[in-house]
Amino acid sequence: MATQPASRAHAAAGERASWLPLIAIGAAQVVLIFNVTALKVSIDAIADALSLPASTLKTAIVVYFGVAAALTLPGAKLGAALGPRPVFRAAMALFAVAMAAMAASGGAFALIAAQVGAGIASAALVPALVALVASEYRDAQRARALGWLGALQAMGIVPGIAVAGALATWPGWRYTFGALAVAAALVCLLGGRLASHHRRSAEGFDVVGAALVAAAVLAIGIGADKLLEWGVLRAAPAAPASVAAISPALIVMAAGALLMKGFVSWEWKCRARGRPLLLAPEVLATPTKRSTLLSIFAIGLIGAGFTFLIPLYIEVVQGRSSVYTALALMPFALAGFVAALAVGRLRARGAPLRVVRYGFLVVAAGAALLGVTVRNDWSDAMVIAGLALAGLGEGALTTYLFDALVARAPRPLADDVAPLCGAASSLAAGVGTALMGALAIALLGANVHRELAANPAIHEALRVEVNLDSVRFVSNDRLRAVLARTAATPEQVEEAVRINTAARLRALKLSFFALALFAAIAFLPARRVPTLASAPPAAGPW
């Protein structure tokens, strides 16, 4: 696996460098993907083992992505100062420790703390991976390697779902994270065989920019995670404060957006004054670049929505195993894998790939088909078709959009473009998980209350006793267990179960329609995404 300095010289001279370093780099990317995939397909198993609500697992996922998004840009500067190889190895070592902590966690605090550690490791690792690829490969080979790195985001979900589902169902979810800790340690050791690259000269660090972007990302993530607890539009009783009865979650998210705008303005001022930059503002200087980044955020949000909503429903509501969840998600994951491969091959052949820009409409069609046809049977042909359609669009767009920004970027800006894409993807995944969890539970609560209000079989005393103001996704068995501790008659129990079953399914359907609507809206900025050429331009505007 060693890459000698001579091999880099050959690559610089136009010869093909070895693909072996890409194996170590790709393995690190896959290990990161496995962590979140394991969390999602093990929701019910972890919640049962630690006596936690499913919402705590949602928070852990949001925390991981929020920390990763907040620290990715500073992590890129750290990698530039120290060199990508030592950062790669240190990040993988930290990730191994975080996964070991996950395997040993005994409560909510330990669980979330482990994901904070994993998020820090991810923030340092993602830009280091791109820097290593850029250093190992040149020209068309570099573009192809970056394309494969982007495609791994879709490809890694397939083995992640299968392995995590099997381990969580049979030996137990702790073995999943224990195996991840071992795998991360092995990748850390493998990283020692990568070539040692020269560090950049010290350029200083933009402390103000780092603080602005971290505050912006964390504000958006916290607001999204607390949207249901603090109120979707109007402030809920549990909200810590409110202004004109507006939900503080919305206020916090809006403040995050303003901080993000302030960050961009600050970077332009630093550029004008010759100060150190956290992000070259030129990467956001044109509508095309901003549209591409917005599209990366949109598809990341939609993909996270799918991969959180489906396990939430299957495991927590239907009470199915992690293996069943993995099998149900497989059409979505496999379709994304196939689409990523196809985009990579077409890209290598210089195909224009105009059709990929219509991927959002494919995702919208798949989500709408799911909204129309989904029942409690995930093996239905139309449900599988809807999942496959959504997966095809998601996989193609994830690979294509990453390539559209990173592979085409001029070399001086590539070191800033890749971390920006990583931060946008992480923020989107966190926000998508939080929003879909909040939306699904809010829709469930609205449906349950509407059904109960019109149902004379459920008397008022029983509604108060069950505390339906804090309705959550629960399985029918758990609902029966709760009702068994009340004064409900057998007839009332069965009626409550019927209401719960119908309300959950309606909430799932409406959530899929919401994803379809968002994907259709996201197509509008995607029309400005550039058509890829066979190789990045040597000169001229980017």
Side-chain angles (χ1 to χ4, degrees):
M1 295 293 294
T3 303
Q4 302 298 329
S7 68
R8 297 199 303 275
H10 290 320
E15 297 181 17
R16 288 173 57 85
S18 170
W19 287 114
L20 291 178
L22 189 60
I23 295 176
I25 296 168
Q29 176 87 308
V30 170
V31 167
L32 292 181
I33 294 168
F34 266 51
N35 170 44
V36 178
T37 304
L39 272 174
K40 290 180 178 179
V41 301
S42 307
I43 287 176
D44 198 48
I46 298 174
D48 277 347
L50 303 182
S51 300
L52 298 173
S55 59
T56 301
L57 274 296
K58 180 201 72 170
T59 298
I61 296 170
V62 174
V63 164
Y64 167 78
F65 283 120
V67 171
L71 299 180
T72 294
L73 292 177
K77 296 302 180 184
L78 177 67
L82 300 179
R85 189 179 75 168
V87 171
F88 175 93
R89 299 194 68 194
M92 288 310 304
L94 175 59
F95 193 82
V97 172
M99 293 301 96
M102 274 293 300
S105 59
F109 178 81
L111 186 79
I112 292 175
Q115 289 304 314
V116 169
I120 294 171
S122 177
L125 190 61
V126 168
L129 297 180
V130 178
L132 285 167
V133 169
S135 299
E136 294 284 350
Y137 304 104
R138 297 291 184 272
D139 302 325
Q141 196 179 9
R142 170 177 167 258
R144 184 178 298 180
L146 287 170
W148 275 98
L149 190 63
L152 277 173
Q153 296 182 41
M155 297 175 186
I157 294 176
V158 178
I161 288 173
V163 173
L167 289 176
T169 299
W170 289 303
W173 63 271
R174 294 186 188 275
Y175 288 88
T176 306
F177 292 100
L180 276 177
V182 173
L186 291 175
V187 174
C188 176
L189 294 175
L190 196 61
R193 307 293 298 275
L194 292 169
S196 179
H197 304 286
H198 292 294
R199 298 176 292 178
R200 287 189 201 165
S201 59
E203 299 176 354
F205 186 76
D206 182 7
V207 177
V208 174
L212 283 171
V213 75
V217 168
L218 292 177
I220 293 170
I222 291 170
D225 187 51
K226 296 294 186 181
L227 198 60
L228 185 64
E229 182 181 342
W230 293 351
V232 177
L233 295 175
R234 296 181 61 84
S242 65
V243 178
I246 300 174
S247 168
L250 289 180
I251 296 173
V252 169
M253 292 176 72
L258 290 175
L259 284 169
M260 194 67 74
K261 183 175 176 60
F263 164 69
V264 176
S265 299
W266 171 258
E267 294 304 295
W268 278 114
K269 289 180 181 178
C270 289
R271 169 68 80 197
R273 297 171 184 174
R275 293 180 178 177
L277 298 171
L278 190 68
L279 175 74
E282 291 84 356
V283 302
L284 295 172
T286 67
T288 296
K289 297 169 190 174
R290 292 192 293 269
S291 295
T292 306
L293 187 66
L294 181 59
S295 296
I296 289 173
F297 180 87
I299 197 58
L301 188 153
I302 293 168
F306 272 104
T307 55
F308 177 75
L309 181 63
I310 293 172
L312 174 72
Y313 187 85
I314 292 175
E315 293 191 32
V316 179
V317 173
Q318 293 183 288
R320 303 273 192 164
S321 68
S322 297
V323 165
Y324 187 92
T325 303
L327 291 174
L329 276 172
M330 203 55 72
F332 179 84
L334 283 173
F337 173 77
V338 170
L341 280 179
V343 168
R345 288 183 177 275
L346 290 171
R347 169 73 173 90
R349 295 175 184 174
L353 298 179
R354 293 184 181 90
V355 69
V356 181
R357 288 185 289 184
Y358 294 89
F360 280 110
L361 297 184
V362 176
V363 174
L369 182 59
L370 284 169
V372 171
T373 62
V374 72
R375 299 291 183 272
N376 288 317
D377 180 11
W378 294 88
S379 62
D380 181 83
M382 295 303 291
V383 172
I384 292 174
L387 286 168
L389 269 178
L392 281 172
E394 193 268 348
L397 283 165
T398 298
T399 306
Y400 174 77
L401 292 168
F402 180 86
D403 210 9
L405 270 185
V406 178
R408 296 183 76 252
R411 186 66 185 89
L413 294 180
D415 291 335
D416 284 337
V417 174
L420 179 63
C421 290
S425 296
S426 294
L427 179 59
V431 172
T433 299
L435 291 183
M436 288 314 300
L439 177 64
I441 293 173
L443 289 171
L444 172 64
N447 287 324
V448 167
H449 280 283
R450 186 178 64 252
E451 289 284 338
L452 288 175
N455 196 312
I458 309 296
H459 55 77
E460 183 63 30
L462 180 59
R463 297 173 196 169
V464 173
E465 211 172 349
V466 179
N467 190 21
L468 289 171
D469 286 332
S470 60
V471 66
R472 292 292 185 269
F473 271 91
V474 294
S475 66
N476 286 339
D477 290 341
R478 291 185 183 179
L479 180 60
R480 284 191 173 95
V482 170
L483 292 172
R485 299 192 293 268
T486 69
T489 65
E491 293 77 14
Q492 290 172 333
V493 170
E494 291 308 311
E495 184 62 16
V497 168
R498 184 197 67 77
I499 291 172
N500 189 47
T501 302
R504 294 176 318 193
L505 185 58
R506 192 176 297 113
L508 179 68
K509 286 174 168 288
L510 290 173
S511 297
F512 280 133
F513 283 128
L515 283 173
L517 177 62
F518 186 81
I521 294 171
F523 169 70
L524 299 177
R527 292 181 301 173
R528 290 183 174 180
V529 174
T531 299
L532 294 178
S534 59
W542 166 61

